[in-house]
Amino acid sequence: MTAPRIPLAGVIGYPVAHSRSPRLFAHWLKAHDLPGHYIPLEIASDKLESSLRCLPDLGFVGVNVTLPYKEKVMDLADLISDRATLIGAANTLIFRQDGKIHADNTDGYGFVENLRQGAPGWNPRLGAATVFGAGGAARAVIASLLDVGVPEIRLTNRTRIRAEKLRDDFGNRVQVHDWVKAGNIIEGSQVIINTTSLGMVGKPPFRVPLDALKPGMIVTDIVYTPLKTHLLEVAEARGCIAVDGLGMLLHQAVPGFERWFGQRPEITQSTRSAVLS
Ligand code: ATR
């Protein structure tokens, strides 16, 4: 009798050296004392399909997907979850026993779980959300906010046409506002979210006027380098509930880990430290 195979999973991208997922998965495998390995896989674009098709034969049970392949893998999947279809991108591929590749997107789930944990009193149905940015991350954030019942999303982006495209895709609960007046739409919002790359190390600063931030508002940033962005610093100083973006990265990985390694992982302070170390 042969011993059961040790499950392998990983993250595909180009490049992947920057990915924090290998540290996160290694930490969880150790913390839960589970057999398995999680491997960064740098795959060139012209080898993406052939590589994906042979990974199951090598013992891989699935992979996470990072830039630049989140959209491209949708064309290679045999089955696509509703939420991945809605977002138009996948961050998780499950290699099924019948040989089919199932594409899912857990980014929106990770975003909402992070907010729920960071702002336990949040009732999504009770207030508007302001979203800065209309890129791939905004798609996942908006899809998940609508899914949990946020009644109104005030969306603004430097390139207005991208925001209008999101409104067309997601419907009238999304309202588009001018980027030059971005600070004004904070007024009366329950949740404020930065999905742009502004404020990230090496990128331009986040300069939206923040005078309208009021105590009790929930403010989050998907940027997590630095962990405490300018937006979150101002939010904290003004008595808002500031939720950093690292939790989104941790929570989006939970469904994949559970599926591939058979145990739902916990997110604790030591998980955060392991990823940041
Ligand atoms: P992602 O998939 O990570 O969201 P993206 O699709 O490149 O990445 O989107 C990045 C977001 O940051 C966009 O909303 C982008 O605005 P544009 O659509 O106008 O490009 C926003 N962004 C990046 N640099 C910016 C800047 N200097 N000023 C304002 N917004 C910026």
Side-chain angles (χ1 to χ4, degrees):
M1 215 171 78
T2 52
R5 258 184 159 178
I6 291 178
L8 302 177
V11 51
I12 61 166
Y14 194 91
V16 282
H18 66 280
S19 173
R20 309 242 173 178
S21 297
R23 274 187 233 175
L24 173 61
F25 277 74
H27 167 80
W28 276 338
L29 283 167
K30 197 161 172 233
H32 294 276
D33 197 20
L34 290 168
H37 298 286
Y38 185 93
I39 301 159
L41 300 163
E42 186 165 282
I43 301 177
S45 173
D46 60 334
K47 297 281 186 296
L48 183 62
E49 179 162 16
S50 54
S51 304
L52 272 185
R53 294 283 163 203
C54 78
L55 285 176
D57 292 338
L58 297 173
F60 279 81
V61 287
V63 287
N64 288 121
V65 185
T66 186
L67 299 177
Y69 297 136
K70 285 186 167 193
E71 278 119 35
K72 197 168 176 187
V73 292
M74 298 283 279
D75 298 330
L76 307 176
D78 305 297
L79 301 152
I80 300 176
S81 71
D82 289 345
R83 57 191 178 179
T85 304
L86 197 62
I87 296 165
N91 73 337
T92 306
L93 299 179
I94 294 148
F95 302 145
R96 292 174 19 144
Q97 297 219 319
D98 61 7
K100 291 193 165 36
I101 297 177
H102 182 201
D104 192 12
N105 194 316
T106 64
D107 283 333
Y109 162 85
F111 170 76
V112 163
E113 284 305 303
N114 186 38
L115 264 195
R116 285 199 165 125
Q117 204 165 75
W122 178 45
N123 181 342
R125 297 181 181 277
L126 294 187
T130 284
V131 176
F132 301 118
R139 280 194 93 83
V141 164
I142 291 170
S144 64
L145 288 174
L146 292 173
D147 188 49
V148 296
V150 170
E152 176 194 343
I153 293 177
R154 303 168 180 178
L155 176 62
T156 185
N157 192 50
R158 175 181 60 175
T159 311
R160 189 181 168 104
I161 198 164
R162 288 185 91 186
E164 288 170 348
K165 170 86 174 75
L166 286 183
R167 195 249 341 264
D168 294 346
D169 290 351
F170 286 109
N172 286 340
R173 271 199 282 161
V174 178
Q175 290 162 16
V176 177
H177 297 264
D178 281 347
W179 179 249
V180 285
K181 296 185 195 141
N184 297 356
I185 57 174
I186 292 173
E187 182 86 46
S189 293
Q190 186 188 26
V191 185
I192 294 97
I193 305 136
N194 175 41
T195 75
T196 74
S197 50
L198 294 173
M200 190 186 290
V201 172
K203 301 279 181 181
F206 183 87
R207 285 222 177 86
V208 173
L210 298 170
D211 309 324
L213 287 178
K214 296 270 171 351
M217 286 178 170
I218 302 164
V219 181
T220 188
D221 200 327
I222 64 156
V223 171
Y224 59 85
T225 49
L227 205 49
K228 197 172 275 185
T229 59
H230 168 70
L231 170 63
L232 296 183
E233 260 172 16
V234 175
E236 240 173 48
R238 289 178 161 268
C240 304
I241 302 161
V243 183
D244 72 51
L246 181 66
M248 177 177 174
L249 171 82
L250 306 180
H251 283 283
Q252 62 78 33
V254 166
F257 187 93
E258 184 175 20
R259 169 92 194 201
W260 300 324
F261 300 110
Q263 205 161 312
R264 194 163 182 86
E266 278 182 26
I267 295 174
T268 61
Q269 193 49 46
S270 75
T271 319
R272 290 171 62 89
S273 307
V275 172
L276 290 172
S277 65

